[in-house]
Amino acid sequence: MSDPSELDLAGLSLSRIASLAEGCTACELYEDATQVVFGDGPQSASLMLLGEQPGDQEDRAGEPFVGPAGDLLDAALIEAGVDRGEVYITNAVKHFRFEEKGKRRLHKKPTHRHVSACRPWLEAELAKVGPEVIVTLGASAAQSILGRSVRVMSDHGASVEWEQYLVVPTIHPSFVLRSSGDRARRDELFAMLVADLKRATELTSG
Ligand code: URA
């Protein structure tokens, strides 16, 4: 059991940090989640994608963005010419927060307290990976690092300096999925996500 705010993570390897995160008890979300979903991707990545929290399938698989939102993200990355294998993908909150509706587990937005409790893990990932550019997917991810004044629909695609990184906010892949009933809107949102990912990768030096 561990609370990252009480650990000195600086001298540890990324894989050691990931295994310590498996025992995280910094907030109550570990009680109902299957497992922690730590970031995934090469430590040498110059581009980091930051989501909100794992979903149902990610919680079961133990990997970020492997469910429907992950499939859409993969399609957008391909369209943007970005190799997912070269990107580090993580979430602001590393346990799945949900409510049960019958047999289904429905996503529940994490609170500020959950984001703060998880923050040392994200900071450790940032310190180890040292990306040049961070793409935040959706409002929760953007606000977790840039603060509550960020508005994804007006700020998407901008490059914002934050600490030593450039942050490019964009929409969450789930937002595109939720608009699937309206073909034109879905295509517009998908194109927006692709353009922002493309812009972010162009901001990296290689
Ligand atoms: N949504 C997220 O924000 N992250 C995931 O890993 C999956 C879905």
Side-chain angles (χ1 to χ4, degrees), residues 50-140:
L50 178 65
E52 180 197 72
Q53 64 161 359
D56 181 64
Q57 292 194 32
E58 288 79 13
D59 170 77
R60 298 178 200 278
E63 286 172 47
F65 284 102
V66 292
D71 291 344
L72 191 123
L73 179 63
D74 286 350
L77 286 168
I78 289 169
E79 188 84 12
V82 181
D83 180 352
R84 177 170 170 149
E86 292 185 0
V87 175
Y88 188 88
I89 306 184
T90 194
N91 285 298
V93 171
K94 291 171 174 50
H95 278 119
F96 179 34
R97 183 171 195 233
F98 60 92
E99 60 188 347
E100 286 181 308
K101 274 250 164 85
K103 284 191 179 160
R104 297 180 65 209
R105 302 189 304 167
L106 302 181
H107 164 276
K108 210 170 166 196
K109 193 170 138 73
T111 66
H112 183 62
R113 184 173 59 78
H114 298 125
V115 172
S116 302
C118 228
R119 184 56 172 256
W121 300 121
L122 177 61
E123 280 178 4
E125 289 176 295
L126 284 167
K128 291 291 157 192
V129 177
E132 294 173 63
V133 180
I134 305 166
V135 175
T136 56
L137 301 165
S140 296

Side-chain angles (χ1 to χ4, degrees), residues 14-16 21 24 37 51 60 63-64 72 81 89 123 129 151 154-155 159 162 164 175 177 184 203:
L14 191 57
S15 59
R16 176 75 186 126
C24 187
V37 179
R60 298 178 200 278
E63 286 172 47
L72 191 123
I89 306 184
E123 280 178 4
V129 177
R151 291 287 170 267
S154 46
D155 298 334
S159 49
W162 174 71
Q164 66 267 51
F175 184 55
L177 286 177
L203 289 169

Side-chain angles (χ1 to χ4, degrees), residues 20-34:
L20 282 173
E22 288 170 15
C24 187
T25 54
C27 74
E28 79 290 357
L29 295 183
Y30 78 94
E31 291 170 7
D32 295 326
T34 308

